[in-house]
Amino acid sequence: MPAELPLRATPRSSREELVVDDAGVRAYVRASPTDGAANEALVRLVARALGVPRSTVAVVRGHTSRQKVLAVSSLGPEELAQRLERFRGGG
């Protein structure tokens, strides 16, 4: 079963970064939310940050919203939580 990662995306940011804090997971990407560019940048960022192939990460909810849910098919929920701890307080 793929792990689900709820997060808040911020397109057109000055940086590309994944941040985990008490409020949840936030992702900052430079791409504009035009023609899915920000979603693609988000998938690349999350895959790189978690050390998984890009093909195993997909936006499953929130395609046009800042609040998104990504599925990571190569990780279980426990492994995802463990890998996200590296980004607690800033990437």
Side-chain angles (χ1 to χ4, degrees), residues 1-79:
M1 181 173 155
E4 289 195 345
L5 173 60
L7 58 79
R8 178 171 175 88
T10 302
R12 290 188 300 251
S13 175
S14 62
R15 63 192 193 270
E16 299 230 343
E17 183 178 27
L18 199 63
V19 176
V20 178
D21 59 22
D22 292 338
V25 180
R26 290 174 289 148
Y28 299 91
V29 294
R30 290 185 181 102
S32 166
T34 307
D35 297 328
N39 285 341
E40 179 56 33
L42 180 62
V43 166
R44 281 194 311 270
L45 171 68
V46 169
R48 186 173 57 243
L50 297 177
V52 299
R54 187 172 65 190
S55 62
T56 66
V57 180
V59 177
V60 292
R61 286 194 296 280
H63 288 84
T64 60
S65 170
R66 287 181 182 236
Q67 298 293 333
K68 300 184 184 293
V69 176
L70 278 66
V72 184
S73 62
S74 58
L75 299 177
E78 298 82 19
E79 179 69 18

Side-chain angles (χ1 to χ4, degrees), residues 75-88:
L75 299 177
E78 298 82 19
E79 179 69 18
L80 175 62
Q82 195 173 45
R83 291 189 187 195
L84 286 173
E85 278 304 308
R86 293 184 288 187
F87 301 97
R88 186 160 284 282

